[in-house]
Amino acid sequence: MFAVPPRPVVPPVPNGASSHGPGRVRVLECLAPWLCISAARPVGSVGSGAARHNQQEGQQEQQQQQEQHPGEPPAGWLRDTRTTPPDRSRRPHSAPAPITATMVKTFQAYLPSCHRTYSCIHCRAHLANHDELISKSFQGSQGRAYLFNSVVNVGCGPAEERVLLTGLHAVADIYCECCKTTLGWKYEHAFESSQKYKEGKYIIELAHMIKDNGWD
C-alpha cells in the first residue's frame, strides 16, 4: 500500500488577489504531491476496512457451506449438471435360480411280438428273446437263473472280481433300465479256460422275469 502523506496546508489567498494569479499557482503547487498520490491509489483502497470485513464474512460463509454440504462447489461457482454413467461392474446380487428335478424318460426297446420273450416282473419291460437263451442251469442269489447271449433294456455297473460256484470271474451287476431293479450280472472275464464261453453273457434270475407272448 502507498503511504499517504499528510494533507498539505494551503496558505490563504490574500484579499483582493485574483483566482488566476500567483496565489492560485502557489496553491496548486502545494496540492500537487497529494493529488498525484491520491490518483495513484488502487481502486477500492478508499474504505478498505469495510471491504476487508465483507471479504472475511464471505470466506466464512463459504467455509460453513462446505462443512455442511461437503463435495458441493462454493456459492457462485458453476456446477456440473452432467450425470455420471452407472457403474455396470457393480451388479446387484441375485439369488441363484432354484434347481428343479425333472424325470428323464428312458428309451425302452421292444422285442417283436411274434417271438416268445422274457420281461421284467416289476415293470414289464422287455428283457430278452427266448431265442437268445443259452442255459437254464444256473443259480443266483435268489434261486434259479438263466444265461442269455444278449438282452435289452439292461444297464451294467462296474466290474469286480467274485468267486462263484464255477471259479473266479470278473462280473458286473446288471439292472433294469426302467425300474432300476437289480436282475443279475454280466460275465466280463473268466480266469479259467473252461469258463471262457461265459464272457460277454448275461445272467438274469428267474425271480425277476416273467414270460410274455405265446407261451401257452
Side-chain angles (χ1 to χ4, degrees):
M1 297 179 64
F2 295 92
V4 181
R7 185 181 298 270
V9 178
V10 180
V13 180
N15 293 332
S18 174
S19 61
H20 299 283
R24 181 65 177 176
V25 173
R26 191 179 303 167
V27 172
L28 294 176
E29 289 178 355
C30 295
L31 294 176
W34 186 84
L35 291 174
C36 294
I37 295 175
S38 299
R41 297 173 92 184
V43 178
S45 61
V46 179
S48 58
R52 287 196 300 271
H53 180 70
N54 295 336
Q55 184 178 4
Q56 292 177 359
E57 288 183 352
Q59 292 179 356
Q60 292 178 0
E61 291 179 357
Q62 290 181 2
Q63 292 179 359
Q64 292 178 359
Q65 181 182 1
Q66 291 180 358
E67 291 177 358
Q68 294 177 359
H69 304 283
E72 292 189 1
W77 287 66
L78 295 178
R79 298 186 180 183
D80 189 2
T81 57
R82 296 175 296 179
T83 58
T84 305
D87 190 359
R88 300 184 182 276
S89 62
R90 297 181 180 180
R91 298 181 178 177
H93 177 71
S94 57
I99 301 175
T100 56
T102 56
M103 298 297 295
V104 180
K105 185 176 181 180
T106 305
F107 175 76
Q108 183 175 349
Y110 294 91
L111 297 174
S113 58
C114 59
H115 297 280
R116 293 179 294 177
T117 58
Y118 296 93
S119 301
C120 176
I121 196 173
H122 308 286
C123 63
R124 303 303 292 266
H126 290 175
L127 296 177
N129 194 324
H130 180 68
D131 296 337
E132 299 295 328
L133 178 62
I134 297 176
S135 175
K136 297 182 180 181
S137 59
F138 281 81
Q139 190 74 19
S141 60
Q142 299 184 15
R144 293 179 58 190
Y146 290 177
L147 178 66
F148 291 94
N149 186 46
S150 63
V151 293
V152 295
N153 301 321
V154 169
C156 291
E160 59 182 8
E161 294 183 0
R162 295 179 188 173
V163 178
L164 305 177
L165 295 177
T166 54
L168 181 63
H169 295 77
V171 299
D173 290 336
I174 61 175
Y175 56 90
C176 177
E177 286 280 9
C178 298
C179 63
K180 309 304 179 183
T181 302
T182 302
L183 304 175
W185 63 88
K186 176 185 179 181
Y187 289 102
E188 297 287 355
H189 179 69
F191 293 92
E192 298 181 9
S193 57
S194 60
Q195 305 296 320
K196 289 292 184 180
Y197 74 97
K198 297 179 182 178
E199 292 181 351
K201 307 300 188 294
Y202 300 86
I203 288 289
I204 299 179
E205 296 179 349
L206 192 59
H208 300 295
M209 290 190 302
I210 189 174
K211 296 178 180 179
D212 280 334
N213 296 336
W215 285 89
D216 297 335

